[in-house]
Amino acid sequence: SLRAALQSLLHLQDPPHRTALAFGLGVFIAFSPFFGLHTAMAIVLAFAFRLNRVAVVAGAWINVWALAPCYAFGTFLGAWLLRMDAQHLESVEWGFKALETLFWPIVVGNTLLGAIAAVPAYFLCRKFLEARRDRKAASSAN
């Protein structure tokens, strides 16, 4: 049936662990320095790992309203980790030189933020899904 095909495609029957894993992967992607490719990355990785596509894409766009502050913080974090001089960063003019100077701070900082955010996202999503499953089971038993 169409419903069974849709459930199979979206992995709606997956256990909470797999759906939470998909969401956590999406959150990691949300902080990816490859801005503009989040949805494509989410879909490709969801298919590659046979994960819930909706959960991965939802996670990938979880910070859409806070994208600028997240990228800014990630860039500053990356610059700090790479021990880049703050005055040097402030003096960079927009253009190719800015991208060249900020490339590694963006990659390092935002990748680290993605890894840090993905872990609690996984656990919170799993806890939510398990509680939801348990409530459904309890209401079915009554």
Side-chain angles (χ1 to χ4, degrees), residues 78-134:
W80 179 75
L81 289 170
L82 296 171
R83 302 190 191 286
M84 295 183 79
D85 182 20
Q87 288 179 339
H88 174 69
L89 291 176
E90 290 174 1
S91 67
V92 174
E93 293 183 28
W94 288 103
F96 185 75
K97 186 69 175 166
L99 181 59
E100 186 180 301
T101 302
L102 296 175
F103 179 78
W104 285 112
I106 290 169
V107 170
V108 170
N110 288 292
T111 300
L112 180 60
L113 281 183
I116 291 169
V119 173
Y122 164 81
F123 285 109
L124 289 170
C125 183
R126 183 173 179 167
K127 184 174 179 152
F128 170 79
L129 293 171
E130 287 172 345
R132 184 172 169 244
R133 178 197 60 202
D134 295 345

Side-chain angles (χ1 to χ4, degrees), residues 35-51:
F35 184 71
L37 299 175
H38 291 150
T39 302
M41 290 171 53
I43 292 169
V44 166
L45 291 174
F47 272 100
F49 294 111
R50 298 178 179 255
L51 293 170

Side-chain angles (χ1 to χ4, degrees), residues 5-97:
L6 184 61
Q7 283 188 330
S8 176
L9 177 66
L10 298 176
H11 294 269
L12 297 177
Q13 73 284 0
D14 278 357
H17 161 72
R18 293 222 7 115
T19 303
L21 190 63
F23 184 73
L25 176 62
V27 170
F28 177 76
I29 292 168
F31 289 88
S32 166
F34 303 109
F35 184 71
L37 299 175
H38 291 150
T39 302
M41 290 171 53
I43 292 169
V44 166
L45 291 174
F47 272 100
F49 294 111
R50 298 178 179 255
L51 293 170
N52 181 317
R53 283 99 172 133
V54 173
V56 178
V57 171
W61 286 103
I62 194 81
N63 70 343
V64 70
W65 302 111
L67 210 53
C70 288
Y71 273 109
F73 180 71
T75 303
F76 285 117
L77 176 63
W80 179 75
L81 289 170
L82 296 171
R83 302 190 191 286
M84 295 183 79
D85 182 20
Q87 288 179 339
H88 174 69
L89 291 176
E90 290 174 1
S91 67
V92 174
E93 293 183 28
W94 288 103
F96 185 75
K97 186 69 175 166

